[in-house]
Amino acid sequence: GQNIDQPTEMTATEGAIVQINCTYQTSGFNGLFWYQQHAGEAPTFLSYNVLDGLEEKGRFSSFLSRSKGYSYLLLKELQMKDSASYLCAVRGSGGYNKLIFGAGTRLAVHP
Amino acid sequence: SQTIHQWPATLVQPVGSPLSLECTVEGTSNPNLYWYRQAAGRGLQLLFYSVGIGQISSEVPQNLSASRPQDRQFILSSKKLLLSDSGFYLCAWSVKGRGEAFFGQGTRLTVV
């Protein structure tokens, strides 16, 4: 079976750092993806990890541990516009680049 | 650059009516294409994916069908809508061999 778990909601303060965790159990593994989705809008691609370790892209970083089935998205210097849902997705084996998504974490950034 | 167009943006349809949502991709050839549905406050559920013209795979049994009549065109259809078909429908594409998918703007469907 396939299972991707994320916290449902998180809150943080403007200027702070927040870490959103994701654990997964999938049939094979060919990469983990993070997307940002503002309310009522389509998801936009943030980051991609296929090897263990940290990938940094500006204020956003994503970490992967394949042996633990674990990833996190780290957001630094939080801004109000970072209030959104953050979706963790895994590409399993079997081809076709199918992405299986978690339910998402709703992040609220407060002043 | 590649772009994906999805329409309409919003749709209100009565129960039992047909449905046709269209998605087209520009600036790329032979993409993988996907239809996802997102219920209110929920994650994305993969409905269909296609690796080429006329090749459709269904992920979950349901009241919907998909077709790919041209390389960069993907259509989601239903003959008779149910109330449970309401949701946010998203079309996406990806390059073969790469994982990240890029999404259209979505169609918010309300079945009344």
Side-chain angles (χ1 to χ4, degrees), chain B residues 86-110:
Chain B
S86 294
F88 191 40
Y89 288 83
L90 290 153
C91 180
W93 73 275
S94 70
V95 174
K96 287 183 171 53
R98 291 180 60 88
E100 64 266 35
F102 300 96
F103 287 85
Q105 290 307 297
T107 296
R108 188 160 306 282
L109 172 66
T110 304

Short mmCIF file of all heavy atoms in Angstrom, two decimals, chain B residues 86-110:
data_model
loop_
_atom_site.label_atom_id
_atom_site.label_comp_id
_atom_site.label_asym_id
_atom_site.label_seq_id
_atom_site.Cartn_x
_atom_site.Cartn_y
_atom_site.Cartn_z
N SER B 86 -18.41 16.68 -7.06
CA SER B 86 -17.98 18.06 -6.78
C SER B 86 -16.54 18.06 -6.25
O SER B 86 -16.15 17.18 -5.49
CB SER B 86 -18.89 18.68 -5.72
OG SER B 86 -20.20 18.85 -6.22
N GLY B 87 -15.79 19.08 -6.65
CA GLY B 87 -14.41 19.18 -6.19
C GLY B 87 -13.60 20.10 -7.09
O GLY B 87 -14.13 20.74 -8.00
N PHE B 88 -12.33 20.15 -6.81
CA PHE B 88 -11.37 20.97 -7.56
C PHE B 88 -10.57 20.01 -8.44
O PHE B 88 -9.85 19.15 -7.94
CB PHE B 88 -10.48 21.71 -6.56
CG PHE B 88 -9.62 22.78 -7.15
CD1 PHE B 88 -10.10 23.62 -8.13
CD2 PHE B 88 -8.33 22.98 -6.68
CE1 PHE B 88 -9.31 24.65 -8.65
CE2 PHE B 88 -7.53 23.99 -7.21
CZ PHE B 88 -8.02 24.82 -8.19
N TYR B 89 -10.73 20.15 -9.76
CA TYR B 89 -10.10 19.24 -10.70
C TYR B 89 -8.87 19.91 -11.30
O TYR B 89 -8.95 21.04 -11.81
CB TYR B 89 -11.08 18.84 -11.80
CG TYR B 89 -12.14 17.89 -11.29
CD1 TYR B 89 -13.27 18.38 -10.64
CD2 TYR B 89 -11.99 16.51 -11.42
CE1 TYR B 89 -14.23 17.52 -10.15
CE2 TYR B 89 -12.95 15.64 -10.93
CZ TYR B 89 -14.06 16.15 -10.29
OH TYR B 89 -15.00 15.30 -9.80
N LEU B 90 -7.77 19.20 -11.25
CA LEU B 90 -6.50 19.75 -11.70
C LEU B 90 -5.89 18.86 -12.77
O LEU B 90 -5.76 17.65 -12.58
CB LEU B 90 -5.52 19.86 -10.52
CG LEU B 90 -5.87 20.93 -9.49
CD1 LEU B 90 -5.32 20.55 -8.13
CD2 LEU B 90 -5.33 22.28 -9.92
N CYS B 91 -5.50 19.48 -13.86
CA CYS B 91 -4.76 18.81 -14.91
C CYS B 91 -3.29 19.09 -14.69
O CYS B 91 -2.93 20.20 -14.24
CB CYS B 91 -5.22 19.32 -16.27
SG CYS B 91 -4.39 18.58 -17.68
N ALA B 92 -2.42 18.15 -15.00
CA ALA B 92 -0.99 18.35 -14.81
C ALA B 92 -0.23 17.63 -15.91
O ALA B 92 -0.74 16.69 -16.53
CB ALA B 92 -0.54 17.85 -13.44
N TRP B 93 1.00 18.08 -16.14
CA TRP B 93 1.86 17.42 -17.11
C TRP B 93 3.25 17.26 -16.52
O TRP B 93 3.66 17.97 -15.61
CB TRP B 93 1.91 18.20 -18.43
CG TRP B 93 2.73 19.47 -18.34
CD1 TRP B 93 2.29 20.69 -17.92
CD2 TRP B 93 4.10 19.63 -18.69
NE1 TRP B 93 3.32 21.60 -17.97
CE2 TRP B 93 4.44 20.99 -18.44
CE3 TRP B 93 5.09 18.78 -19.18
CZ2 TRP B 93 5.71 21.49 -18.69
CZ3 TRP B 93 6.36 19.28 -19.42
CH2 TRP B 93 6.66 20.63 -19.17
N SER B 94 3.98 16.29 -17.06
CA SER B 94 5.38 16.13 -16.68
C SER B 94 6.17 15.62 -17.88
O SER B 94 5.60 15.05 -18.82
CB SER B 94 5.53 15.16 -15.50
OG SER B 94 5.24 13.84 -15.89
N VAL B 95 7.46 15.88 -17.85
CA VAL B 95 8.36 15.36 -18.87
C VAL B 95 8.64 13.90 -18.54
O VAL B 95 8.87 13.55 -17.38
CB VAL B 95 9.67 16.17 -18.89
CG1 VAL B 95 10.67 15.54 -19.84
CG2 VAL B 95 9.39 17.61 -19.26
N LYS B 96 8.64 13.05 -19.53
CA LYS B 96 8.95 11.63 -19.28
C LYS B 96 10.36 11.50 -18.70
O LYS B 96 11.29 12.12 -19.16
CB LYS B 96 8.83 10.83 -20.57
CG LYS B 96 7.39 10.63 -21.00
CD LYS B 96 7.30 9.77 -22.23
CE LYS B 96 5.86 9.39 -22.51
NZ LYS B 96 4.94 10.53 -22.57
N GLY B 97 10.47 10.70 -17.67
CA GLY B 97 11.75 10.48 -17.02
C GLY B 97 12.03 11.46 -15.90
O GLY B 97 13.00 11.29 -15.16
N ARG B 98 11.20 12.48 -15.74
CA ARG B 98 11.35 13.42 -14.65
C ARG B 98 10.09 13.39 -13.81
O ARG B 98 9.00 13.13 -14.29
CB ARG B 98 11.60 14.84 -15.17
CG ARG B 98 12.94 15.02 -15.84
CD ARG B 98 13.11 16.44 -16.32
NE ARG B 98 13.03 17.41 -15.24
CZ ARG B 98 14.08 17.79 -14.53
NH1 ARG B 98 15.26 17.27 -14.75
NH2 ARG B 98 13.94 18.70 -13.58
N GLY B 99 10.25 13.67 -12.55
CA GLY B 99 9.12 13.46 -11.64
C GLY B 99 8.18 14.62 -11.46
O GLY B 99 7.00 14.44 -11.30
N GLU B 100 8.72 15.86 -11.46
CA GLU B 100 7.86 16.97 -11.06
C GLU B 100 6.76 17.19 -12.08
O GLU B 100 6.98 17.16 -13.29
CB GLU B 100 8.65 18.26 -10.82
CG GLU B 100 9.32 18.85 -12.02
CD GLU B 100 10.77 18.38 -12.13
OE1 GLU B 100 11.06 17.23 -11.77
OE2 GLU B 100 11.59 19.19 -12.59
N ALA B 101 5.57 17.40 -11.55
CA ALA B 101 4.41 17.68 -12.38
C ALA B 101 4.06 19.16 -12.26
O ALA B 101 4.24 19.77 -11.21
CB ALA B 101 3.22 16.82 -11.93
N PHE B 102 3.58 19.72 -13.35
CA PHE B 102 3.20 21.13 -13.38
C PHE B 102 1.70 21.21 -13.64
O PHE B 102 1.18 20.56 -14.55
CB PHE B 102 3.99 21.85 -14.47
CG PHE B 102 5.47 21.78 -14.26
CD1 PHE B 102 6.22 20.81 -14.89
CD2 PHE B 102 6.11 22.66 -13.41
CE1 PHE B 102 7.59 20.71 -14.69
CE2 PHE B 102 7.48 22.58 -13.19
CZ PHE B 102 8.22 21.61 -13.83
N PHE B 103 1.04 22.02 -12.83
CA PHE B 103 -0.41 22.00 -12.79
C PHE B 103 -1.04 23.16 -13.55
O PHE B 103 -0.49 24.28 -13.58
CB PHE B 103 -0.89 22.07 -11.33
CG PHE B 103 -0.67 20.80 -10.57
CD1 PHE B 103 0.54 20.53 -9.96
CD2 PHE B 103 -1.68 19.84 -10.48
CE1 PHE B 103 0.75 19.35 -9.27
CE2 PHE B 103 -1.47 18.67 -9.78
CZ PHE B 103 -0.26 18.41 -9.18
N GLY B 104 -2.21 22.88 -14.13
CA GLY B 104 -3.06 23.94 -14.64
C GLY B 104 -3.73 24.65 -13.50
O GLY B 104 -3.55 24.28 -12.33
N GLN B 105 -4.53 25.67 -13.83
CA GLN B 105 -5.14 26.51 -12.81
C GLN B 105 -6.33 25.85 -12.11
O GLN B 105 -6.80 26.35 -11.10
CB GLN B 105 -5.56 27.85 -13.41
CG GLN B 105 -4.37 28.72 -13.78
CD GLN B 105 -3.44 28.89 -12.58
OE1 GLN B 105 -3.80 29.44 -11.55
NE2 GLN B 105 -2.20 28.42 -12.72
N GLY B 106 -6.80 24.75 -12.65
CA GLY B 106 -7.87 24.01 -11.97
C GLY B 106 -9.26 24.46 -12.37
O GLY B 106 -9.47 25.59 -12.81
N THR B 107 -10.20 23.53 -12.20
CA THR B 107 -11.63 23.80 -12.42
C THR B 107 -12.37 23.44 -11.14
O THR B 107 -12.28 22.30 -10.68
CB THR B 107 -12.19 22.95 -13.57
OG1 THR B 107 -11.55 23.31 -14.79
CG2 THR B 107 -13.69 23.16 -13.70
N ARG B 108 -13.07 24.43 -10.61
CA ARG B 108 -13.87 24.15 -9.41
C ARG B 108 -15.26 23.75 -9.87
O ARG B 108 -16.01 24.57 -10.39
CB ARG B 108 -13.93 25.37 -8.51
CG ARG B 108 -14.58 25.09 -7.17
CD ARG B 108 -14.22 26.13 -6.11
NE ARG B 108 -12.80 26.33 -5.95
CZ ARG B 108 -12.00 25.51 -5.28
NH1 ARG B 108 -12.48 24.43 -4.70
NH2 ARG B 108 -10.72 25.78 -5.17
N LEU B 109 -15.60 22.48 -9.68
CA LEU B 109 -16.88 21.92 -10.11
C LEU B 109 -17.80 21.77 -8.91
O LEU B 109 -17.43 21.16 -7.92
CB LEU B 109 -16.67 20.56 -10.79
CG LEU B 109 -17.94 19.77 -11.11
CD1 LEU B 109 -18.76 20.49 -12.18
CD2 LEU B 109 -17.60 18.35 -11.54
N THR B 110 -18.99 22.33 -9.05
CA THR B 110 -20.03 22.14 -8.04
C THR B 110 -21.21 21.46 -8.69
O THR B 110 -21.77 22.00 -9.67
CB THR B 110 -20.48 23.49 -7.44
OG1 THR B 110 -19.34 24.17 -6.91
CG2 THR B 110 -21.48 23.26 -6.32
#
